[in-house]
């Protein structure tokens, strides 16, 4: 039977399940991966020309998304002195940028 042949209640039930999806990630980052990503992000943002308005208009939305991702993946290691210090330095840099 085609979807058009389904009675309305059956179609509504099918659509209600189709509209809700759950998302779960099992991505696991090692401490070294997290530090490397933090270093790369910090270097990229710090080395750009902050006086170039057009560059910032294009780059900042991507940096904000990357910072959100980094904020999530750094959590298991943020209590460690070197990771916590690097993340704090990165957050401070972004505060200065804004």
């Amino acid at each position: 039977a085609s979807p058009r042949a389904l009675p309305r209640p059956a179609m509504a039930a099918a659509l209600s399940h189709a509209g809700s999806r759950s998302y779960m990630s099992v991505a696991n980052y090692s401490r070294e991966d997290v530090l490397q990503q933090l270093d790369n992000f910090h270097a990229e943002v710090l080395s750009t020309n902050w006086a170039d308005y057009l560059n910032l208009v294009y780059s900042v939305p991507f940096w904000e998304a990357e910072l959100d991702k980094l904020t999530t993946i750094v959590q298991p290691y943020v209590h460690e002195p070197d990771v916590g210090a690097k993340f704090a330095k990165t957050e401070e840099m972004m505060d200065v940028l804004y």
Side-chain angles (χ1 to χ4, degrees), residues 5-61:
L6 291 175
R8 287 184 186 252
M11 182 63 109
L15 290 177
S16 69
H17 292 294
S20 63
R21 296 182 186 177
S22 61
Y23 175 77
M24 180 185 285
S25 174
V26 291
N28 194 6
Y29 295 92
S30 71
R31 182 182 176 281
E32 291 75 25
D33 290 340
V34 170
L35 274 174
Q36 184 65 41
Q37 289 186 34
L38 270 173
D39 286 338
N40 291 345
F41 177 76
H42 189 269
E44 179 182 352
V45 175
L46 191 62
S47 66
T48 196
N49 181 1
W50 289 15
D52 183 353
Y53 175 75
L54 190 58
N55 180 38
L56 293 179
V57 167
Y58 289 136
S59 299
V60 167

Side-chain angles (χ1 to χ4, degrees), residues 1 9 19-22 25 45 51 55-56 61 75 78 80 83 89 91 93-94 96 98:
S20 63
R21 296 182 186 177
S22 61
S25 174
V45 175
N55 180 38
L56 293 179
Q75 293 309 310
V78 77
E80 297 179 11
V83 178
K89 191 175 181 180
E91 285 184 316
M93 175 189 64
M94 293 303 288
V96 170
Y98 293 130

Side-chain angles (χ1 to χ4, degrees), residues 58-73:
Y58 289 136
S59 299
V60 167
F62 295 101
W63 293 342
E64 289 173 342
E66 183 69 17
L67 183 61
D68 286 344
K69 178 184 146 197
L70 286 170
T71 301
T72 301
I73 67 172

